[in-house]
Every structure is written in C-alpha cells, then in structure tokens.
Amino acid sequence: MTIGWHFDNTYSKLPNVFLSEISPIPVKSPNLVILNDNLSKELELNFSTSNKEDLSKLFSGNLLPRDSKAIAQAYAGHQFGHFTMLGDGRATLMGEHLTKDNRRFDIQFKGSGKTPFSRNGDGRAALGPMLREYIISEAMHALRIPTTRSLAVVKTGENVLRETPLPGAILTRVASSHLRVGTFQYITARKDEENLKTLVNYTIDRHYPDIKDSKNKALDLLKKLMERQIKLVINWMRVGFIHGVMNTDNMAVSGETIDYGPCAFMDAYDPQTVFSSIDQLGRYAYFNQPSITKWNLARFAECLIPLIDENKDKAIKTATETINRFEKIYEIKWLNMMRDKLGLFGEDSKDQVLILDLLTWMHQNKTDYTNTFCFLMNEKIENDEIYNNEDFHIWRQRWLDRLKLNNNTPEKYFKLMRSVNPSIIPRNHKVEEVLEAANNNNLKPMKNLLNILEKPYENQNKIFEYQSPAPISNEKYQTFCGT
Ligand code: AMP
Ligand code: MG
C-alpha cells in the first residue's frame, strides 16, 4: 500500500520571479516526534505501512516524495510597519497535494535549511517553537477557525544555535496555499504589471473561483479578501487569540491564520494584552488586531491599484472607498459575534451597551475572558467567587431581561452560546509545561493536551487544570518569535 501522495504543483510553474528552485538540506539523524493521524486521514494519506525510520526521513526532507518539487517562495512584507524583501528563508514548499475531490493543499517543511532568501538566518528551527505551532494551529482548527495545519514534526538530530544550543526540528505545515499579502507586495515592488496580473489570476483560480469572470477582478479580489480577513479577525477576537506578529507577510490571501510565532491566548480580559517580547509598542495587541487587519488590507489594495482602473486617481479613490467600509462591516459582525457569545437572538438597541458594560467589568475585575462565558453558560469553573459581585449581579439581571426577548428559551440560548464559547483554549502555562516535557523526550503530556483541545465546545469532565488561567505570578507571560 502506498502513502497516497498526489502532487500537482501549480505554483512552481509560475514565472521564475515567484520562486527559487531548491532542495531541502538533508539532516543528520531525523527522528519523528509526532504525526497527525486525523489530518493524514483528511488528506487521504496513509502512513500506517511506513516504518518510523522512513517517516523520519520523509518529514525531514531526507527522502523526497515522488512528484514533489521543492521550491522557496518569494515574498516581501511590512514587518512592524517597515517594508522588506523576504521570501521563504527557512521553509521549502514540497508541492501541492490533491485529494480525490480536488481539494488542494500546500505541503511545506518549515526549518528545512537555507534558501536563497535566508539573508543572515540559518534556515533552521528549534523543536520547542515547532511543537508550539503544532499545538496552537491544531487548537485553532478545533475551534473552527481557518488556519494552516500541522502534519508532523521531526527532530533533526542537529542543534540550532539561538541564545543557547537547542534541538533542531522540522514542521510539516499544510495550508490551502502560502500566498500572502507579501507575495503581492513582492511583485508590485518590482513594478511588474504582467506578473501582477498573473498573480491575481492565480489567486482567484485557487481561492476565489466565483469571481473568475468578474469585470474588475482586482477590485473584487480586494473585497473578497477583506470579507475573509474580517471573518478571521472576528474569530480571533471571539476566542481571545492574539496573533502577535501580524506583518503583511504573515497574512494569507486564503484567509487562514498563518505563522504561529509569538501568538498566545489571553487569560484575564485586557484589550491591551501583548505577549510578544519584541512588540514593545503594542502594535499587535489584542484590541489593535482589527485596525491592523485594515492596515494590511490597505497595503494589499495599494498593490492592486494598476489593475483596478487605468486612471490612477480613480483607482485610488475606488480602493480607498472599499477599504473604508472596513469599520462599518467589522462593527456589525463583531456585535453579532458578541450577541452569539451571550446567546442573544435578534437585535436590540441596547445590545452594544450591554456587551461593552460586561467587557468593562471584566477588564476592571481582571476576570478570565474564556471562563466568564463558561460561567454564564452555567459551567463549573474554579474561582467563581469573583462573580459574586454586586456590579456583576446588576449586569447579569440586565442580560437575563434581554434574554427574554425574541421568543428565546434557555435551550436555544445555551445551544448558541455553546457553539461559540470554548470551554478549553491552549492555556499558556499548560503549553509551556507540555513543551518542557517534550523537550525532555516525554510526549505524553503534549498528546494529552492535544486530545483535550480537540473538543473545545464540549463540556469535558475532570479538566479543571486545563481550564484555569495560570496562577498569578509576578512575571508577565512572554512569547518569542522562535527564529
Ligand atoms: P517569520 O518571523 O517566521 O514570519 O519570518 C520572517 C522572515 O524571516 C521570513 O522571510 C522567514 O523565512 C525568515 N526567517 C525566519 N527565521 C529564519 C531562519 N532561522 N533562517 C532564515 N530565515 C528565517
Ligand atoms: Mg512569516
């Protein structure tokens, strides 16, 4: 029985400017750490007849699957607002795998060695950050948030030098594509209108086939991406996810969450929450995520100007009007998302105030974002004495009164609330704990955590320790880019 790879590599057939042909650089002694059985099934891949040695070779790039074609993709990006030419500096795209019903997935190795885009980097990745991406991306998928996935992690048997030597690893990332806003910026920076058209057509074929025959493809692509990115960021806001490094090279045109570097989930509700050690000004703080999404979309729009209208002024005007609709659309969708979190059907003029008053109370009282909604769903949580508070009681009564509108019933509102409020998120201290064990060759805690994270909307038994925020400590939780 074969694994079932079916490669069809369309990106690699694009003109040379888009990519560089490379080979993953073989590693010393690859050793498979984890393989994602659920995802393998979804991809119609069968690894059950391959032994561990072969799988280790496969997922390290030491043994290349037939019909794969290794390339590094070119892209640029605004990193913390500054424009740079980038490209895959430590990733190899092995090709696009097609399932029987023609779903197309990029198979990419992250940490697979130097490429022509590596600049001063070593092209490698450390085990901790690759396992961290595995955990968080799979958790996001279970939370029903569009995301790249993680198929496998291998240790390379080589050390990578960061502040200290760390065990090296390669992650196999699966994505509906790795096209980024930065891909467009790369082509635009080269003032290459022909290839810009090629990229627009390629993107539309791959992700937005419904606008294939549209009269103004560039403008419609902008509108479509805006729609998907608004949906995405609202999903992040819903579960308290902070991406941490929303550079334009880390915004996928598919609308998937991509690039799990310094990301983390918020515990106590605070709109200014930032975890990333390098985000000193809070550019990518929880509450800035929507406005940064809009900022990134404006950079995307700039790339498309020459194709939106022959008359540049007219093109700029049209693009600006489109982008400026962002706030209105976002506000409406955010409000509806928050209504869902509170089990509210229909619209009431006082909804926004009701929602904002709860958030303000949570902020003032430093209550846990996830668990507050669990408490409102009558789930048992630890430390619920915080809700025995007069201001909260008054707010709760207003909420209960609002719940009576629109023929709502407890059955209906609890069902709605349960579908959008997770009981389980990857708590930062738990993620750290399992990564430490994994670094010491004990994968059991990580697999346990992954199992629990698979069912975030179910009321699971005996998982208090996974639901509680980290014990209060003097040290602020910090995340690092993991490069
Ligand atoms: P990221 O912070 O992962 O989004 O990466 C930003 C850019 O830096 C991308 O072009 C990466 O390919 C590149 N990069 C990150 N880490 C390394 C590394 N260790 N070696 C080479 N390039 C890297
Ligand atoms: Mg990146």
Side-chain angles (χ1 to χ4, degrees):
M1 187 116 124
T2 56
I3 290 172
W5 290 116
H6 182 203
F7 280 104
D8 174 48
N9 307 325
T10 57
Y11 188 94
S12 71
K13 295 190 188 105
L14 289 175
N16 287 339
V17 290
F18 285 96
L19 57 111
S20 179
E21 284 183 32
I22 52 161
S23 308
I25 297 162
V27 300
K28 203 158 109 199
S29 49
N31 191 356
L32 183 73
V33 179
I34 190 160
L35 174 64
N36 190 332
D37 292 330
N38 291 341
L39 180 57
S40 306
K41 280 192 201 108
E42 284 175 46
L43 295 174
E44 298 161 5
L45 297 173
N46 181 358
F47 297 107
S48 65
T49 53
S50 311
N51 62 34
K52 192 173 171 198
E53 201 185 324
D54 285 345
L55 292 176
S56 303
K57 284 186 194 155
L58 172 68
F59 290 115
S60 59
N62 282 16
L63 182 79
L64 305 184
R66 209 180 51 184
D67 298 332
S68 61
K69 183 158 195 240
I71 60 160
Q73 291 180 311
Y75 55 86
H78 272 95
Q79 301 191 301
F80 289 88
H82 303 287
F83 186 75
T84 320
M85 295 303 248
L86 297 162
D88 286 332
R90 56 162 175 170
T92 309
L93 179 64
M94 298 307 297
E96 297 145 37
H97 166 72
L98 273 185
T99 58
K100 291 203 182 74
D101 59 353
N102 274 323
R103 283 172 300 131
R104 183 177 295 274
F105 297 95
D106 270 11
I107 307 292
Q108 191 205 58
F109 294 149
K110 187 168 172 181
S112 51
K114 280 192 190 170
T115 77
F117 304 112
S118 293
R119 296 172 294 157
N120 296 322
D122 60 2
R124 293 294 181 195
L127 179 64
M130 294 306 99
L131 290 178
R132 194 165 187 280
E133 169 153 352
Y134 188 109
I135 298 169
I136 314 269
S137 64
E138 288 308 298
M140 290 290 270
H141 173 71
L143 287 162
R144 298 189 210 110
I145 299 178
T147 176
T148 64
R149 306 281 305 272
S150 298
L151 182 59
V153 176
V154 286
K155 281 204 271 194
T156 58
E158 297 168 6
N159 276 342
V160 293
L161 200 61
R162 296 297 179 255
E163 263 130 44
T164 53
L166 298 169
I170 296 172
L171 168 85
T172 302
R173 177 158 73 179
V174 177
S176 71
S177 89
H178 284 83
L179 296 167
R180 306 148 190 266
V181 167
T183 317
F184 284 76
Q185 290 182 294
Y186 184 84
I187 300 298
T188 298
R190 299 168 57 101
K191 304 200 180 347
D192 185 347
E193 209 172 303
E194 263 326 290
N195 277 322
L196 183 62
K197 275 187 202 151
T198 303
L199 180 58
V200 166
N201 287 329
Y202 182 79
T203 304
I204 289 176
D205 268 354
R206 210 162 156 177
H207 296 296
Y208 302 95
D210 50 322
I211 56 166
K212 215 166 58 200
D213 301 317
S214 112
K215 283 205 195 88
N216 193 333
K217 289 195 219 176
L219 182 62
D220 284 345
L221 178 60
L222 173 62
K223 289 180 184 164
K224 288 276 174 189
L225 182 61
M226 185 156 109
E227 237 172 67
R228 280 201 200 169
Q229 287 295 338
I230 288 177
K231 259 195 192 156
L232 183 64
V233 75
I234 283 177
N235 266 314
W236 293 355
M237 303 306 273
R238 170 170 67 82
V239 299
F241 175 77
I242 300 162
H243 182 284
V245 60
M246 291 174 70
N247 297 331
T248 53
D249 50 305
N250 294 336
M251 181 184 262
V253 294
S254 62
E256 289 176 345
T257 311
I258 190 170
D259 235 321
Y260 291 87
C263 62
F265 285 72
M266 174 170 68
D267 287 337
Y269 180 77
D270 179 352
Q272 302 304 335
T273 307
V274 177
F275 293 112
S276 170
S277 61
I278 56 168
D279 192 1
Q280 312 249 320
L281 299 175
R283 178 179 169 92
Y284 300 138
Y286 174 73
F287 223 68
N288 282 355
Q289 296 189 121
S291 59
I292 287 292
T293 301
K294 181 186 172 189
W295 193 89
N296 288 349
L297 287 166
R299 306 290 77 74
F300 185 63
E302 280 166 6
C303 296
L304 298 172
I305 292 297
L307 305 186
I308 289 179
D309 201 295
E310 278 170 8
N311 176 329
K312 194 175 171 189
D313 291 339
K314 216 169 141 202
I316 293 174
K317 189 165 172 274
T318 309
T320 309
E321 280 166 9
T322 304
I323 294 286
N324 283 345
R325 269 184 238 130
F326 184 98
E327 279 88 358
K328 195 89 212 116
I329 303 173
Y330 176 82
E331 255 170 48
I332 292 169
K333 288 189 185 293
W334 178 83
L335 202 56
N336 282 335
M337 177 275 286
M338 291 302 295
R339 283 193 180 103
D340 291 349
K341 279 179 84 68
L342 289 173
L344 306 177
F345 287 87
E347 290 175 18
D348 184 78
S349 60
K350 296 193 289 286
D351 285 348
Q352 188 164 5
V353 179
L354 182 76
I355 291 162
L356 291 177
D357 284 352
L358 173 65
L359 292 175
T360 306
W361 180 84
M362 284 164 68
H363 187 196
Q364 282 165 354
N365 292 275
K366 298 188 173 59
T367 54
D368 188 79
Y369 181 64
T370 303
N371 286 351
T372 298
F373 291 95
C374 291
F375 181 79
L376 292 174
M377 295 189 297
N378 287 347
E379 277 183 20
K380 261 200 108 37
I381 54 167
E382 279 184 331
N383 303 322
D384 58 2
E385 58 280 1
I386 194 154
Y387 302 103
N388 198 0
N389 162 295
E390 202 184 324
D391 288 338
F392 183 75
H393 288 314
I394 294 170
W395 178 86
R396 190 163 179 274
Q397 194 49 55
R398 285 163 58 201
W399 174 58
L400 291 172
D401 290 342
R402 166 65 175 91
L403 278 174
K404 288 180 196 141
L405 302 184
N406 300 317
N407 302 320
N408 209 347
T409 60
E411 201 188 358
K412 280 207 245 172
Y413 60 72
F414 282 134
K415 189 169 170 218
L416 176 60
M417 292 173 80
R418 284 210 183 92
S419 70
V420 292
N421 293 319
S423 306
I424 277 286
I425 53 165
R427 295 280 178 184
N428 302 324
H429 63 295
K430 276 288 160 196
V431 173
E432 293 304 320
E433 201 178 293
V434 306
L435 289 181
E436 196 178 323
N439 255 324
N440 293 317
N441 295 319
N442 177 8
L443 260 286
K444 229 177 136 192
M446 175 167 155
K447 289 189 173 164
N448 252 343
L449 177 64
L450 285 168
N451 269 334
I452 289 170
L453 291 172
E454 254 178 45
K455 298 177 226 78
Y457 302 109
E458 278 175 34
N459 209 342
Q460 303 177 58
N461 281 330
K462 298 193 185 122
I463 52 163
F464 270 160
E465 64 164 297
Y466 294 92
Q467 287 182 297
S468 300
I472 304 290
S473 105
N474 293 331
E475 262 178 64
K476 188 173 163 272
Y477 183 66
Q478 271 209 329
T479 55
F480 302 90
C481 260
T483 52

